[in-house]
């Protein structure tokens, strides 16, 4: 059994080679940038009004000022502003040459002759100068960025309509266990529905990759070996769920070795999720996850997703925050690092959700994350600050 950080390190030594591809901007959500994105021009590209009002020279206030024209957003000023002059201007419009401030329209009074008079005591500039946000050539987004909606807007603002990204990893999902039936079937006797395949497929897709259903297989070494072989022909990475522990029918680690894959580990010192294996070979890799649904969820979050991110060159993302614990928690054993399902409260603290162990899938309904307890730590007291993933 190895520590979690050591397991992550070992996985990172055997990354898949994904390559890159160019895709349309609108298809880039939750993909990983494989290039830097630079500003193609100054932003703002011109001196821009931040208010509806009158562009003028501050030294000419309070006026009166002769109104030269009206400048709308998207139109070029027709005249420069000189002594005793101003132009009516809309928010977002280009400030005319000669003007050094925009007076809000609420503080300008029209005179009978059509001129305007400033009625306030002083005014802010209300101009965003050219290049205030970015200069042409400035770095907007770094290679390795996991693309979110905000990033898509940023790229659109500089005309980046074709995006170079890391290729999606094809992740096969194979559920093992003679007790399993599909989610659409009615279980009989000691059978249970296969929830792990659906949960893992959603986790894979949310991470930006392609989930492939390799199906279900009963607890038989020969059949499992056949399905693993088929899965690795179709997928870059194979996730097996079930058969990962040390019982007579926990066959996955042995089958992986028999197939000639290099097994790096088969147990990690964490709870839930101790029975988990990682193997690689022939340009593929494979994780053997627990059959318990909460365990496989945690194993994906702590091992599989970081591995996918490393393979695609994604920049590390901090998914840990600190929060005070609203209610204390004590566990019976402290031999492993423990991940406790918690939810957040209106006070900005967190509290444990009702949790009966690694088979209690419904605990994830209220959980927003997992509070960490170090190996050797039996108790978290009310008010203690904990890291929440």
């Amino acid at each position: 059994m190895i520590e979690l950080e050591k397991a992550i390190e070992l996985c990172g030594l055997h990354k898949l080679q994904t390559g890159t591809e160019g895709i349309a901007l609108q298809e880039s959500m939750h993909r990983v940038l494989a290039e830097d994105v630079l500003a193609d021009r100054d932003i703002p590209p011109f001196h821009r009004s931040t208010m509806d009002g009158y562009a003028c020279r501050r030294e000419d206030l309070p006026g009166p000022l002769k109104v030269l024209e009206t400048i709308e957003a998207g139109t070029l000023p027709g005249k420069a502003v000189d002594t005793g002059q101003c132009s009516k201007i809309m928010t977002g419009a280009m400030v005319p040459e000669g003007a050094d401030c925009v007076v809000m329209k609420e503080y300008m009074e029209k005179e009978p002759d059509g001129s305007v008079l400033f009625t306030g005591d002083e005014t802010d500039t209300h101009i965003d100068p050219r290049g205030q946000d970015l200069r042409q050539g400035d770095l907007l987004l770094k290679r390795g960025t996991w693309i979110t909606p905000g990033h898509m807007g940023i790229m659109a603002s500089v005309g980046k309509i074709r995006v170079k990204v890391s290729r999606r990893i094809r992740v096969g999902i194979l559920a093992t266990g003679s007790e399993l039936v599909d989610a659409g079937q009615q279980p009989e006797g000691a059978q249970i529905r296969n929830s792990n395949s659906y949960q893992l497929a959603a986790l894979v897709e949310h991470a930006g990759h392609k989930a492939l259903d390799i199906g279900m297989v009963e607890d038989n070494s020969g059949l499992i070996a056949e399905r693993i072989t088929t899965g690795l022909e179709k997928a870059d990475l194979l996730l097996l769920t079930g058969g990962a522990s040390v019982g007579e029918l926990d066959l996955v680690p042995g089958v992986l070795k028999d197939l000639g894959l290099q097994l790096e580990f088969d147990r990690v010192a964490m709870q839930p999720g101790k029975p988990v294996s990682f193997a690689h070979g022939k340009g593929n890799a494979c994780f053997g996850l627990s059959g318990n649904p909460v365990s496989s969820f945690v194993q994906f979050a702590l091992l599989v997703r970081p591995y996918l991110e490393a393979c695609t060159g994604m920049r590390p993302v901090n998914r840990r925050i600190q929060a005070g614990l609203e209610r204390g928690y004590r566990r019976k054993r402290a031999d492993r690092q423990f991940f406790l399902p918690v939810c957040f409260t209106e006070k900005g603290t967190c509290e444990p959700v009702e949790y009966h162990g690694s088979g209690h899938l419904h605990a994830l309904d209220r959980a927003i994350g997992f509070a960490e307890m170090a190996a050797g730590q039996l108790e978290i007291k009310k008010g203690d600050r904990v890291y929440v993933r």
Side-chain angles (χ1 to χ4, degrees):
M1 185 162 64
I2 63 174
E3 298 300 317
L4 174 60
E5 294 306 319
K6 180 63 176 177
I8 294 172
E9 178 186 339
L10 285 172
C11 293
L13 294 175
H14 306 284
K15 296 192 288 268
L16 301 170
Q17 301 301 310
T18 61
T20 63
E21 61 180 336
I23 61 173
L25 172 61
Q26 58 266 36
E27 298 172 356
S28 66
M29 178 73 168
H30 290 173
R31 301 294 294 273
V32 177
L33 266 178
E35 61 178 338
D36 291 339
V37 175
L38 309 179
D40 68 335
R41 61 177 183 163
D42 294 346
I43 299 178
F46 47 80
H47 297 322
R48 179 176 62 194
S49 175
T50 64
M51 294 287 178
D52 288 347
Y54 293 84
C56 63
R57 306 192 323 165
R58 191 187 298 269
E59 65 187 71
D60 291 339
L61 297 177
L65 305 174
K66 179 183 177 182
V67 181
L68 300 175
E69 61 180 333
T70 297
I71 308 170
E72 298 178 353
T75 64
L76 291 173
K79 301 176 181 179
V81 171
D82 205 341
T83 305
Q85 299 175 338
C86 70
S87 291
K88 189 174 183 180
I89 193 168
M90 306 303 172
T91 301
M94 181 185 289
V95 176
E97 185 180 343
D100 59 12
C101 70
V102 173
V103 179
M104 294 172 62
K105 63 180 182 179
E106 292 88 343
Y107 298 105
M108 283 294 205
E109 187 177 276
K110 288 186 178 180
E111 297 287 277
D113 63 357
S115 64
V116 291
L117 190 67
F118 179 53
T119 60
D121 295 325
E122 57 183 27
T123 180
D124 289 333
T125 302
H126 299 134
I127 296 174
D128 282 339
R130 175 176 177 167
Q132 174 179 261
D133 299 338
L134 293 165
R135 289 292 186 181
Q136 183 177 0
D138 280 354
L139 178 64
L140 281 176
L141 299 173
K142 289 184 178 180
R143 176 190 181 118
T145 297
W146 192 63
I147 299 171
T148 66
H151 296 136
M152 294 175 72
I154 290 170
M155 287 189 283
S157 74
V158 296
K160 187 69 176 177
I161 61 171
R162 194 83 184 159
V163 185
K164 185 179 178 183
V165 296
S166 297
R167 289 187 181 275
R168 297 176 76 188
I169 295 173
R170 297 168 300 166
V171 184
I173 299 169
L174 173 62
T176 73
S178 301
E179 75 279 14
L180 296 178
V181 297
D182 193 62
Q185 293 180 242
Q186 183 63 43
E188 297 179 359
Q191 294 177 329
I192 60 172
R193 289 189 175 98
N194 171 25
S195 62
N196 277 335
S197 290
Y198 292 87
Q199 176 176 262
L200 289 171
L203 289 167
V204 167
E205 295 285 343
H206 184 259
H209 299 282
K210 180 65 177 176
L212 305 175
D213 183 15
I214 310 299
M216 298 182 296
V217 63
E218 60 189 73
D219 293 314
N220 176 287
S221 294
L223 294 176
I224 292 174
E226 290 177 8
R227 286 298 190 91
I228 291 176
T229 301
T230 299
L232 290 177
E233 290 172 353
K234 296 180 178 180
D236 308 302
L237 175 66
L238 185 61
L239 304 182
L240 295 101
T241 175
S245 192
V246 292
E248 291 184 10
L249 295 180
D250 292 314
L251 307 171
V252 168
V255 172
L256 293 174
K257 288 191 288 187
D258 291 343
L259 288 173
L261 296 172
Q262 176 64 44
L263 185 68
E264 294 293 337
F265 57 81
D266 60 10
R267 286 182 296 170
V268 175
M270 64 182 189
Q271 181 187 2
K274 179 174 75 171
V276 56
S277 55
F278 174 73
H280 57 90
K282 303 175 184 177
N284 300 90
C286 181
F287 281 95
L289 309 180
S290 172
N292 287 321
V294 178
S295 293
S296 63
F297 187 98
V298 172
Q299 290 164 340
F300 186 94
L302 300 182
L303 287 168
V304 181
R305 180 155 187 167
Y307 180 71
L308 293 170
E309 294 172 352
C311 291
T312 54
M314 180 174 158
R315 294 169 58 208
V317 175
N318 177 39
R319 293 193 175 91
R320 299 166 76 232
I321 63 170
Q322 273 198 322
L325 197 69
E326 187 66 23
R327 288 189 291 113
Y329 180 84
R330 184 176 181 83
R331 56 175 173 158
K332 295 178 181 178
R333 296 175 57 186
D335 56 331
R336 287 174 280 160
Q337 188 176 10
F338 182 54
F339 296 92
L340 172 69
V342 296
C343 63
F344 288 130
T345 72
E346 293 180 354
K347 301 176 182 179
T349 58
C350 66
E351 63 180 2
V353 301
E354 184 178 355
Y355 178 55
H356 306 148
S358 57
H360 188 193
L361 178 59
H362 300 290
L364 299 182
D365 173 39
R366 290 188 60 222
I368 197 69
F370 293 85
E372 301 176 11
M373 294 183 71
Q377 183 181 8
L378 278 171
E379 182 179 15
I380 315 174
K381 296 181 179 179
K382 178 179 178 179
D384 284 353
R385 296 187 66 79
V386 294
Y387 278 106
V388 179
R389 289 182 182 250

